[in-house]
């Protein structure tokens, strides 16, 4: 059977697409250019969110099915990189939005009330699937939770509510899946379940903490060698002592209020992060290290998106209350500051030491190098 030749307009649904920028009206003919821009940018951003979600599900599924094949890590890295590009583009759109002045926006803003980007079900899905926990969320500023903001005016669940409710059941989160993958990382050739694994991990942590303390003390000596007042010296000594104690406590997961089994698990994940970053030249660690870097780049892009949105909002509406009822810019700035998923990946940057100071490796052959003869 021969197939009918495809036309661009049939495949892309151009006419259907162009009919969607009318807001509450039957057509966009009577709307100002600013309002059509406002609707269009939001629609484009929702489409980018849709693509982010697709990549996110694929990457999460990959990490959620152990063992993660080495060759699959390259496609996971590509998926995360695409997510980063998409979110960076969303942030870039705020520049176009800023061609709209405060007065232009005020001309149609009241129509929206109480609608708000706070009701973007897809953004919430992305956050939930990444692993942002409900306890970490910043309240909108009135009595309702982010879920109740997704209900219709009559209290019935909207399609956005249903999407997010389904996503809350869709486990594991990417954070959980990646953490489990990290937990299984061989440290000095030893994997969980191997005889003596706990002792080998503990020995690595102590050796690493000692290397970190040595580097921190050297940096302190250099800082103290410049002319300083006694109170400056005291301040610096305190700061470096805090860094040294903090690094060891972090690696042992002593900063967490959790049971002993969870502490041991998190400690091993953190040790794995340091191990991968430190010995990234080993063939078997090269891709894991790329994954960690891509996750960091993605989260950085996400934070920049939140910050950029807040600055655009400040420019267009100042510090007035948002249509969704939040404190507006203050609320958005808090989300940029506090919403982090891959906290440990960030935290490890503070701990890394010069390559020449790294503890020596054991069982190098487990990572793809031939044993020396
Ligand atoms: C003139 C343009 C815009 C203004 C004045 C504005 C303002 C605001 C304000 C004040 C909030 C806080 C919630 C509230 O009280 O309403 C908010 C949230 C939000 N906005 Fe915008 N916004 C604009 C454009 C956009 C665009 C183009 C997007 C596209 C992605 C967007 C996405 C969001 C999202 C996802 C939230 C929820 C953030 C969160 O809860 O973490 N906004 N917006």
């Amino acid at each position: 059977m021969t197939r009918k030749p495809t036309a661009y307009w049939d495949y892309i649904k151009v006419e259907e697409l162009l009919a969607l920028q009318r807001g509450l009206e039957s057509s966009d003919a009577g709307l100002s250019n600013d309002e059509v821009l406002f609707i269009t940018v939001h629609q484009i951003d929702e489409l980018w969110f849709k693509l982010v979600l697709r990549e996110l599900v694929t990457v999460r599924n990959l990490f959620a099915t152990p063992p993660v094949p080495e060759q699959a890590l390259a496609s996971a890295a590509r998926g995360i990189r695409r997510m980063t590009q998409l979110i960076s583009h969303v942030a870039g759109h705020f520049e176009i939005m800023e061609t709209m002045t405060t007065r232009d926006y005020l001309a149609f803003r009241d129509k929206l009330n109480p609608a708000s980007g706070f009701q973007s079900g897809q953004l919430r899905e992305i956050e939930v699937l990444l692993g942002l926990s409900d306890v970490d969320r910043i309240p909108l500023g009135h009595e309702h939770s982010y879920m109740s903001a997704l209900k219709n005016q009559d209290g019935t669940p909207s399609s956005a509510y249903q999407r997010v409710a389904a996503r809350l059941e869709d486990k594991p989160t990417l954070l959980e899946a990646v953490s489990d993958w990290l937990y299984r990382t061989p440290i000095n050739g030893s994997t969980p379940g191997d005889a003596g694994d706990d002792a080998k991990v503990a020995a690595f942590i102590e050796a690493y903490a000692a290397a970190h303390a040595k580097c921190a003390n050297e940096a302190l000596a250099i800082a103290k060698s410049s002319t300083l007042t006694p109170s400056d010296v005291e301040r610096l000594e305190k700061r470096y002592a805090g860094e040294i104690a903090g690094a060891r406590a972090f690696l042992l997961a002593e900063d967490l209020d959790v049971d002993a089994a969870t502490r041991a698990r998190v400690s091993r994940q953190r040790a794995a992060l340091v191990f991968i970053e430190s010995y990234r030249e080993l063939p078997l660690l090269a891709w894991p290290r790329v994954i960690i870097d891509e996750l960091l780049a993605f989260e950085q892009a996400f934070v920049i998106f939140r910050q950029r949105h807040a600055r655009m909002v400040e420019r267009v509406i100042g510090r007035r209350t948002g249509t969704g009822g939040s404190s507006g810019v203050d609320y958005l700035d808090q989300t940029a500051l506090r919403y982090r998923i891959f906290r440990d990946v960030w935290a490890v940057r503070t701990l890394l030491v010069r390559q020449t100071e790294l503890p020596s490796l054991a069982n190098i052959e487990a990572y793809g190098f031939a044993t020396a003869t």
Side-chain angles (χ1 to χ4, degrees):
M1 202 174 73
T2 51
R3 190 175 60 80
K4 184 175 151 256
T6 307
Y8 175 79
W9 45 89
D10 286 334
Y11 189 69
I12 304 295
K13 309 278 183 265
V14 180
E15 292 307 324
E16 291 90 329
L17 189 62
L18 296 182
L20 292 176
Q21 292 72 43
R22 55 192 168 83
L24 303 174
E25 314 302 326
S26 54
S27 109
D28 60 39
L31 299 187
S32 67
N33 288 354
D34 293 296
E35 188 167 357
V36 176
L37 172 82
F38 184 83
I39 297 167
T40 308
V41 173
H42 277 88
Q43 288 182 342
I44 295 169
D45 291 348
E46 286 292 340
L47 289 174
W48 289 149
F49 288 160
K50 173 179 174 167
L51 299 186
V52 170
L53 264 169
R54 292 184 68 103
E55 296 299 335
L56 195 47
V57 168
T58 306
V59 172
R60 186 281 310 266
N61 290 351
L62 202 145
F63 281 100
T65 334
V68 183
E70 281 310 305
Q71 59 276 24
L73 292 181
S75 66
R78 203 168 50 242
I80 305 169
R81 200 170 309 136
R82 181 176 290 166
M83 283 158 47
T84 307
Q85 286 296 327
L86 289 164
I87 290 295
S88 299
H89 273 72
V90 174
H93 295 164
F94 296 137
E95 224 168 73
I96 309 176
M97 211 50 130
E98 284 167 345
T99 61
M100 177 175 74
T101 66
T102 307
R103 203 173 68 174
D104 300 332
Y105 180 47
L106 292 180
F108 65 88
R109 182 176 188 247
D110 286 350
K111 272 197 214 177
L112 313 176
N113 235 322
S116 162
F118 195 80
Q119 295 174 314
S120 168
Q122 290 203 101
L123 183 88
R124 297 289 171 248
E125 278 189 88
I126 293 171
E127 290 170 347
V128 166
L129 192 53
L130 282 169
L132 181 68
S133 83
D134 281 1
V135 287
D136 285 342
R137 284 194 186 275
I138 294 153
L140 184 56
H142 54 72
E143 68 282 10
H144 300 304
S145 77
Y146 75 99
M147 282 306 276
S148 47
L150 299 181
K151 287 193 176 156
N152 293 313
Q153 288 299 308
D154 63 3
T156 56
S158 66
S159 53
Y161 183 99
Q162 280 158 350
R163 276 175 168 282
V164 182
R167 199 58 82 185
L168 284 163
E169 302 298 314
D170 179 16
K171 296 285 180 190
T173 65
L174 181 62
L175 176 64
E176 288 164 343
V178 167
S179 300
D180 285 351
W181 169 72
L182 282 172
Y183 175 73
R184 298 189 299 268
T185 305
I187 294 181
N188 278 331
S190 172
T191 39
D194 287 357
D197 182 61
D198 290 352
K200 283 180 193 154
V201 173
F204 170 70
I205 289 177
E206 287 311 325
Y208 194 88
H212 174 269
K214 178 173 175 276
C215 293
N217 281 322
E218 281 166 11
L220 171 64
I222 295 168
K224 276 165 63 175
S225 66
S226 23
T227 338
L228 293 165
T229 63
S231 70
D232 277 340
V233 171
E234 199 185 320
R235 183 175 47 78
L236 277 172
E237 282 174 346
K238 246 191 182 157
R239 180 159 294 166
Y240 279 94
E243 259 188 41
I244 292 168
R248 195 166 175 280
F250 172 83
L251 286 170
L252 294 169
E254 285 172 355
D255 54 322
L256 303 178
D257 184 16
V258 290
D259 59 59
T262 311
R263 192 183 312 286
R265 200 173 173 86
V266 175
S267 172
R268 200 183 197 292
Q269 287 159 6
R270 291 176 172 180
L273 274 171
V274 169
F275 193 83
I276 293 168
E277 288 280 2
S278 300
Y279 306 105
R280 62 197 197 196
E281 283 75 19
L282 297 178
L284 271 183
L285 297 184
W287 275 110
R289 193 251 164 195
V290 171
I291 293 288
I292 290 167
D293 221 37
E294 294 294 351
L295 287 173
L296 197 84
F298 172 69
E299 183 141 58
Q300 186 186 35
F302 217 105
V303 171
I304 291 172
F305 152 72
R306 292 189 194 278
Q307 289 167 339
R308 188 66 188 84
H309 178 250
R311 297 287 73 72
M312 180 273 295
V313 171
E314 187 173 4
R315 180 165 167 182
V316 178
I317 62 165
R319 291 191 169 263
R320 72 187 76 198
T321 302
T323 49
S326 80
S327 57
V329 172
D330 280 351
Y331 163 76
L332 295 169
D333 274 335
Q334 280 182 64
T335 64
L337 196 66
R338 293 205 349 222
Y339 285 3
R340 289 285 172 104
I341 310 291
F342 302 103
R343 288 177 188 278
D344 288 353
V345 176
W346 288 95
V348 157
R349 322 321 278 179
T350 318
L351 267 67
L352 297 181
V353 299
R354 282 191 305 278
Q355 196 179 3
T356 48
E357 302 298 333
L358 289 172
S360 51
L361 274 163
N363 297 319
I364 196 169
E365 66 284 355
Y367 300 91
F369 276 138
T371 321
T373 48

